[in-house]
C-alpha cells in the first residue's frame, strides 16, 4: 500500500523544488509557509496511532514521543507535504504499528479476509441448515408437547393476539 | 500479625472445603446419599462465608492504612478518599481476583439457596461445578496473585513480600503507600468493574446448570427454563458494566470517544455477544424444543469467554507474546480453559444422541429463522472481534513485525455486520412463529418500511449527506417502527378484547406479558445506544486551539470563550480548573469546567477531567490539553458529540426492559404458558 522509496528524500526534494518555485515566481506566497494550526496537525495525527501505547490515537497521546511526532508533522506540513506523504514517512520510521489497521499485504491480508470468510461460511451454513430443516419437516411435526400454543392461521395476527388475550380473561 | 493473615487462612480453608464439596456432591449424587449432597450444599455456604471474611480483612487493611500488606502499600495511600480505599480492592490484580472470587461465591450461594428445594438430581452437579470454578479462582489467588502477602526486611536488607516470612526477617512497614493509579480515581471506576464482574461471574450459574443437565442426561427444556432469569440478570450486569466502562472512558480519557476496541474492552464484549445470542436462542428451545445442542454450545462459549477475557487481559499475552510466561496467571488460566473446554466437549459428544430436536423449521420466513440468523450473526461478530483482538500477537509471532488493530479495523469489519444484525432485530418481531405468509409479511412490514424510506428522505432533505449516517439512522427507524407497531397492535387487541381505556390496556399488556414487551423495551434501549454511537461516529466535530483569557474558539455552531484558570487543592491532588463560557447561536448557554488533576503520588501523569455540558441533541466536550504559567495561555480541545446522551439513556431502558421481563408475575405469560419459571418460584 505504501511506497517503499525514501519518502523523506522525496520530502526534501519537494521542499527544494518548492523553494525554487517560490524564488522563481517571486511574489506568490506558499500556502504552508506559516506555522500550522493545531487543527491542521490533528487532521494528520488523527489518522496515526501512538507506536508505544496500545490503541491511543496520536492526536490524543501525551507521551513525549508523540508530542515530538506531532512536531514532525508540523514541520512536514510547513514543508508542504501532504497527509499521505507524512503518514508514509511514519510508517517507514516506525512500521505498520502507527496505522490503526493492518495493511492489506502479505500475512496481514488474513486479518481482512478471515472475517469475510467467517461471515460467508456462517451464512452458507445457516442457509444449508434452514434448507435441510424445512425439507425434512414432517407435516404434523409441530404438534409436539413442547410446541407451546397451537399454531394460529398465519395471516391473522390480531385474531391470534385476541385469542391469546382471551386465555386469561 | 495483621488481620490479613486471617484472610489468608480463610482462603486456604476455602480451597480445601471447595474441593471437599465437589467430591461429596458428586459421590452423593452417584450413590444416592442425600446426606453427602446436603454436605456439599453446605460447603458452598461455608466457602462463601470464608471468602467474605478474607475480603473483609483486605478491606479492613485498606481502610486502616496497613501498609505492611504489600497490596495496600502498592494500591493505596493515607490521603486517598475512603471510597477509593474501598474500591482499591479491585484496583490491582491480586485484589481484583479476590473480589472476583467473592462475587462468584455470592452468586453460588444465592443460586444454591434459591434452588435448595428444587431439582434434586441437577443440584449436586450444579454445586460441584460452582465449587470447581471457585476452587480455581481461590487457587489463582493463593498461588499466583496473593493479596495477603506482607512486606519484610530480610537479613540481607532486601525488602521482600511473603505471607510467611523467611527466618530472621523483620516486618517492614512503609510510612505511606504508593497510591492508587490516578486513572482509577473516578466514580465510574468504583462501580463499573463491580457491574462487569457481576456479569462475568453470574454467567457461571447457567453454565453450571448446563453441565448438570449434560451429566444427568436431563436434557429436556427444564434447565433452560430454570436459568432464564439467572442468565438475563448477569447479562444485564455485563451490559451495564460495558456501558459504564464507556462512560468512564468518555469522561476520563479525554479523546472525545468512549470505546476504543482495545483488548480489555473487547474481552468484556466477547462473552456479552454469545450471551445475547443465548438469551434469544433459549426462547426457541422453550417454545419449539429446537437448538438444544446450539444452546449447550452457546453457554459453554460464553463461560469460556469470560475466562478467556480474564486470561487475555491479565496474562499480558496481548501486549506481547513474550510476556505470557512472566506471571503464572497466564499458564494457570490457559490450563484451566483448555481442561474445561475438553471436558465439556467430551460431555457434549457423549450426550449428543439425547439432544435431538423435537421439531423442524416450518418455513424459511419465520421467527425461528430470524432468531437463528441473529444467533449466527452474533457469533460471527464474536469471532471477528476475537480475531481482531488476537491478531496483533499472532502477526507478531508469524512475521516478527508489530502491527496495531484499532478502531479503524474494527469499525470496517464489524460496522457492516452490526447493520445486518440491526435489520434482523427489526425484522424478527415482524415475522410470525412457524411461518409468515405473504399477507402477514405485507401487513407487518408495510409500515416499518414506509417509515424507513420516509426517514431516509427527510434526513436527505434536511441536508444530511453522510451515506453511512443516513443508512444507520434509517435502519434504527425501521426497528423502532416495528416495535411501535407491535405495541399499538397489542394495545388495540387488548382494548378490543377487554374494553379497557388506552393507558390501562398498555399497562396491562406490559404487565401480563412482560417477557415480550419488556424485551421490546430492551430493544428500544439498544436503538438509543446505537443512535448515540452513530451520532458520535459520523457527526462529531472537533477543534483545538491555544487561547488567552477572553479569546474564543468555535466548533460547529458553538462558541467558547476562555475566562481563566484556577488552582485548588483536592484530598490527594492539585486541581486546575479552566472556565469557559459557552454560547450557542449567539445565546449564552452556560459554562464548562475542564480540569487537570496532578496527583501527589503521580505528578508526572496529570489526569484529564473532561468539562462536559451534556444535552439530548449534543454534548459540548472540552479537554484542557495544557496550559502555561498560571493560565495566561491554555490549550483546549473541543468536541461537539451529537446524540451521545442517548447512549446513557439507552442504558436505563436496558435495565427497565430486563426488570419488566424478569419481574415475577401471577398471570401466565402470553407468549407461552410453559415458559414460566416452574414450581415454587411462581405462586399459582
Amino acid at each position: 500500500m505504501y511506497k517503499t522509496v525514501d519518502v523523506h528524500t522525496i520530502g526534501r526534494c519537494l521542499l527544494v523544488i518548492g523553494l525554487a518555485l517560490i524564488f522563481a515566481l517571486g511574489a506568490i506566497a506558499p500556502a504552508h509557509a506559516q506555522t500550522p494550526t493545531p487543527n491542521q496537525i490533528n487532521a494528520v495525527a488523527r489518522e496515526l496511532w501512538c507506536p508505544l501505547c496500545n490503541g491511543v490515537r496520536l492526536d490524543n497521546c501525551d507521551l513525549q514521543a508523540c508530542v515530538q511526532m506531532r512536531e514532525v508533522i508540523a514541520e512536514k506540513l510547513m514543508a508542504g507535504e501532504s497527509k499521505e506523504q507524512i503518514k508514509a514517512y511514519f510508517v517507514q520510521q516506525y512500521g505498520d504499528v502507527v496505522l490503526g489497521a493492518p495493511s492489506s499485504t502479505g500475512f496481514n491480508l488474513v486479518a481482512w479476509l478471515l472475517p469475510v470468510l467467517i461471515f460467508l461460511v456462517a451464512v452458507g451454513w445457516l442457509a444449508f441448515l434452514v434448507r435441510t430443516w424445512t425439507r425434512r419437516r414432517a407435516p404434523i411435526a409441530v404438534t409436539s408437547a413442547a410446541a407451546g400454543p397451537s399454531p394460529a392461521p398465519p395471516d391473522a395476527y390480531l385474531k391470534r393476539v385476541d385469542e391469546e388475550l382471551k386465555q386469561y380473561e | 500479625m495483621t488481620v490479613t493473615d486471617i484472610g489468608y487462612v480463610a482462603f486456604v480453608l476455602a480451597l480445601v472445603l471447595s474441593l471437599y464439596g465437589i467430591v461429596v456432591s458428586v459421590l452423593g449424587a452417584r450413590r444416592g446419599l442425600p446426606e453427602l449432597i446436603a454436605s456439599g450444599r453446605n460447603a458452598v455456604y461455608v466457602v462463601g462465608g470464608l471468602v467474605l471474611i478474607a475480603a473483609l480483612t483486605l478491606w479492613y487493611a485498606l481502610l486502616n492504612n496497613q501498609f505492611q500488606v504489600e497490596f495496600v502499600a502498592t494500591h493505596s495511600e493515607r490521603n486517598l478518599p475512603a471510597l477509593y480505599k474501598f474500591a482499591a480492592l479491585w484496583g490491582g490484580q491480586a485484589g481484583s481476583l479476590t473480589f472476583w472470587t467473592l462475587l462468584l461465591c455470592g452468586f453460588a450461594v444465592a443460586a444454591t439457596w434459591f434452588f435448595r428445594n428444587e431439582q434434586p438430581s441437577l443440584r449436586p452437579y450444579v454445586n460441584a461445578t460452582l465449587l470447581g470454578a471457585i476452587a480455581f479462582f481461590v487457587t489463582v489467588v493463593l498461588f499466583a496473585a496473593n493479596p495477603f502477602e506482607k512486606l519484610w526486611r530480610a537479613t540481607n536488607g532486601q525488602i521482600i513480600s511473603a505471607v510467611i516470612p523467611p527466618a530472621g526477617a523483620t516486618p517492614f512497614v512503609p510510612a505511606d503507600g504508593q497510591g492508587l493509579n490516578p486513572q482509577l480515581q473516578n466514580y465510574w471506576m468504583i462501580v463499573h468493574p463491580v457491574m462487569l464482574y457481576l456479569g462475568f461471574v453470574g454467567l457461571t450459574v447457567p453454565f453450571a446448570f448446563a453441565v448438570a443437565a449434560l451429566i444427568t442426561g436431563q436434557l429436556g427444556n427444564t434447565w433452560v427454563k430454570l436459568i432464564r432469569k439467572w442468565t438475563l440478570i448477569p447479562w444485564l450486569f455485563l451490559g451495564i458494566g460495558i456501558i459504564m466502562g464507556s462512560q468512564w472512558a468518555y469522561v476520563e480519557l479525554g479523546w472525545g470517544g468512549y470505546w476504543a476496541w482495545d483488548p480489555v474492552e473487547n474481552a468484556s464484549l466477547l462473552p456479552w455477544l454469545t450471551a445475547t445470542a443465548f438469551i434469544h436462542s433459549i426462547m426457541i428451545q422453550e417454545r419449539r424444543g429446537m437448538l438444544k445442542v446450539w444452546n449447550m454450545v452457546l453457554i459453554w462459549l460464553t463461560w469460556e469467554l469470560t475466562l478467556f477475557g480474564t486470561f487475555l487481559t491479565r496474562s499480558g499475552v496481548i501486549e506481547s507474546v513474550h510476556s505470557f510466561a512472566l506471571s503464572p496467571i497466564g499458564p494457570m488460566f490457559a490450563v484451566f480453559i483448555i481442561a474445561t473446554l475438553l471436558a465439556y466437549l467430551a460431555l457434549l459428544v457423549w450426550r449428543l444422541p439425547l439432544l435431538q430436536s423435537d421439531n423442524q423449521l416450518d418455513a424459511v420466513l419465520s421467527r425461528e429463522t430470524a432468531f437463528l440468523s441473529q444467533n449466527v450473526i452474533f457469533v460471527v461478530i464474536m469471532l471477528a472481534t476475537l480475531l481482531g483482538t488476537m491478531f496483533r500477537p499472532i502477526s507478531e509471532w508469524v512475521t516478527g513485525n508489530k502491527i496495531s488493530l484499532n478502531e479503524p479495523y474494527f469499525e470496517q469489519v464489524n460496522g457492516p455486520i452490526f447493520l445486518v444484525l440491526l435489520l434482523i432485530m427489526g425484522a424478527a418481531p415482524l415475522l410470525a412463529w412457524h411461518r409468515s405468509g405473504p399477507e402477514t409479511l405485507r401487513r407487518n412490514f408495510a409500515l416499518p418500511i414506509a417509515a424507513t424510506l420516509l426517514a431516509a428522505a427527510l434526513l436527505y432533505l434536511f441536508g444530511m449527506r453522510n451515506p453511512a449516517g443516513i443508512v444507520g439512522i434509517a435502519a434504527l427507524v425501521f426497528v423502532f417502527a416495528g416495535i411501535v407497531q407491535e405495541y399499538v397492535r397489542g394495545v388495540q387487541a387488548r382494548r378490543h378484547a377487554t374494553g379497557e381505556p388506552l393507558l390501562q390496556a398498555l399497562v396491562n399488556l406490559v404487565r401480563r406479558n412482560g417477557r415480550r414487551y419488556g424485551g421490546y423495551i430492551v430493544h428500544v434501549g439498544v436503538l438509543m445506544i446505537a443512535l448515540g454511537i452513530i451520532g458520535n461516529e459520523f457527526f462529531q466535530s472537533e477543534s483545538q486551539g491555544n487561547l488567552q483569557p477572553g479569546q474564543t474558539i468555535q466548533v460547529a455552531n458553538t462558541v467558547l470563550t476562555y475566562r481563566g484558570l484556577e488552582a485548588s487543592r483536592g484530598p490527594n491532588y492539585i486541581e486546575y480548573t479552566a472556565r469557559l463560557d459557552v454560547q450557542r447561536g449567539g445565546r449564552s448557554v452556560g459554562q464548562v469546567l475542564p480540569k487537570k488533576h496532578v496527583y501527589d503520588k503521580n505528578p508526572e501523569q496529570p489526569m484529564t477531567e473532561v468539562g462536559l455540558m451534556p444535552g439530548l441533541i449534543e454534548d459540548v466536550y472540552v479537554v484542557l490539553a495544557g496550559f502555561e504559567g498560571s493560565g495566561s495561555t491554555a490549550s483546549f480541545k473541543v468536541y461537539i458529540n451529537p446524540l451521545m446522551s442517548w447512549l446513557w439513556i439507552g442504558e436505563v431502558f436496558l435495565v427497565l426492559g430486563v426488570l419488566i421481563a424478569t419481574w415475577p408475575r401471577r398471570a401466565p405469560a402470553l407468549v407461552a404458558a410453559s415458559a414460566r419459571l416452574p414450581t415454587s418460584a411462581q405462586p399459582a
Side-chain angles (χ1 to χ4, degrees), chain B residues 54-184:
Chain B
L56 287 175
T57 64
L58 282 176
W59 268 315
Y60 182 87
L62 280 165
L63 290 167
N64 289 291
N65 303 321
Q66 297 196 345
F67 295 121
Q68 200 207 335
V69 180
E70 195 249 353
F71 185 81
V72 179
T74 48
H75 294 89
S76 184
E77 63 179 301
R78 288 186 190 282
N79 285 338
L80 192 67
L83 205 52
Y84 289 122
K85 281 182 182 168
F86 180 77
L89 183 62
W90 49 91
Q93 177 97 293
S96 71
L97 283 168
T98 309
F99 185 60
W100 182 295
T101 315
L102 175 68
L103 295 181
L104 179 58
C105 287
F107 264 99
V109 167
T112 306
W113 185 80
F114 188 84
F115 293 109
R116 66 195 178 284
N117 296 322
E118 290 176 50
Q119 304 300 323
S121 52
L122 289 179
R123 230 171 38 214
Y125 293 106
V126 171
N127 287 344
T129 312
L130 291 170
L131 284 170
I134 294 170
F136 169 69
F137 277 98
V138 171
T139 309
V140 172
V141 169
L142 283 177
F143 298 104
N146 192 331
F148 308 106
E149 283 182 0
K150 292 182 290 184
L151 295 169
W152 307 91
R153 192 188 295 280
T155 41
N156 62 0
Q158 216 179 349
I159 305 297
I160 52 163
S161 64
V163 179
I164 299 153
T170 51
F172 174 73
V173 186
D176 196 4
Q178 293 166 7
L180 182 65
N181 180 348
Q183 281 199 333
L184 305 183

Side-chain angles (χ1 to χ4, degrees), chain B residues 383-545:
Chain B
L383 288 174
T385 308
L386 182 64
L387 171 80
T389 313
M390 293 301 295
F391 196 75
R392 184 188 158 107
I394 292 173
S395 170
E396 190 191 339
W397 182 58
V398 172
T399 66
N401 292 329
K402 280 204 167 192
I403 58 164
S404 63
L405 291 91
N406 298 317
E407 258 181 295
Y409 172 79
F410 287 99
E411 278 164 8
Q412 284 176 62
V413 170
N414 280 347
I417 319 180
F418 269 113
L419 182 67
V420 174
L421 192 62
L422 203 57
L423 294 176
I424 297 175
M425 179 177 159
L430 307 179
L431 292 166
W433 290 100
H434 299 287
R435 61 169 69 241
S436 301
E439 179 59 24
T440 320
L441 290 181
R442 204 174 53 78
R443 186 194 185 88
N444 289 351
F445 278 86
L447 204 93
I449 289 181
T452 310
L453 296 176
L454 186 70
L458 281 177
L459 289 172
Y460 190 82
L461 279 180
F462 280 100
M464 192 184 287
R465 289 295 179 270
N466 185 326
I470 294 179
V471 170
I473 295 179
L476 297 186
V477 170
F478 171 67
V479 187
F480 186 66
I483 296 171
V484 171
Q485 180 175 275
E486 281 289 295
Y487 265 91
V488 169
R489 287 183 179 176
V491 169
Q492 272 176 351
R494 214 188 144 79
R495 293 189 69 189
H496 183 70
T498 64
E500 288 169 344
L502 185 71
L503 202 64
Q504 196 187 345
L506 178 68
V507 170
N508 282 333
L509 184 77
V510 175
R511 222 182 56 190
R512 298 259 175 133
N513 192 6
R515 284 187 64 178
R516 181 192 282 181
Y517 293 96
Y520 289 151
I521 290 177
V522 172
H523 279 196
V524 171
V526 173
L527 293 182
M528 290 171 169
I529 291 167
L531 187 67
I533 293 173
I534 291 172
N536 187 286
E537 182 67 25
F538 298 116
F539 305 106
Q540 185 183 55
S541 24
E542 64 166 274
S543 186
Q544 183 170 2

Side-chain angles (χ1 to χ4, degrees), chain A residues 38-39 42 46 49 54-55 57 59-60 96-97 99-102 107-108 110-112 114-115 118-119 122 125-126 129-130 133-134 136-137 141-142 144 146-149 151 154-155 157-158 160-162 164-165 168-169, chain B residues 255 286-288 291 319 358-363 369 372-373 376-377 380 387 391-392 395 398-399 402-409 412-413 434-435 439-440 443 486 489 493-494 496 498 512 542-544 637 639 670-671:
Chain A
N39 284 336
N42 285 345
R46 60 180 290 128
W49 300 76
N54 202 351
R57 233 166 46 194
D59 59 330
N60 290 305
D96 280 350
V97 72
L99 297 174
F107 180 73
N108 289 343
V110 175
W112 292 108
L114 207 54
I118 293 171
F119 184 79
W125 180 67
L126 183 70
L129 214 64
V130 170
W133 278 0
T134 45
R136 279 196 320 205
R137 182 176 66 91
V142 285
S144 145
D155 300 328
Y157 179 91
L158 280 178
R160 203 179 74 227
V161 179
D162 280 346
E164 285 173 339
L165 284 164
Y168 47 78
E169 291 314 322
Chain B
W255 54 282
E286 271 184 61
R287 275 187 74 104
R288 304 292 315 274
L291 305 181
E319 306 305 328
D358 301 343
N359 280 302
Q360 299 291 336
L361 286 176
D362 297 304
T369 317
L372 199 57
S373 318
V376 168
I377 295 296
V380 168
L387 171 80
F391 196 75
R392 184 188 158 107
S395 170
V398 172
T399 66
K402 280 204 167 192
I403 58 164
S404 63
L405 291 91
N406 298 317
E407 258 181 295
Y409 172 79
Q412 284 176 62
V413 170
H434 299 287
R435 61 169 69 241
E439 179 59 24
T440 320
R443 186 194 185 88
E486 281 289 295
R489 287 183 179 176
R494 214 188 144 79
H496 183 70
T498 64
R512 298 259 175 133
E542 64 166 274
S543 186
Q544 183 170 2
K637 273 185 127 166
Y639 296 84
L670 215 165
V671 173

Side-chain angles (χ1 to χ4, degrees), chain A residues 26 36 61 81 84 92 122 128 135:
Chain A
C61 192
E81 289 190 30
E84 290 310 315
Q92 198 204 16
F128 169 77
R135 271 200 190 155

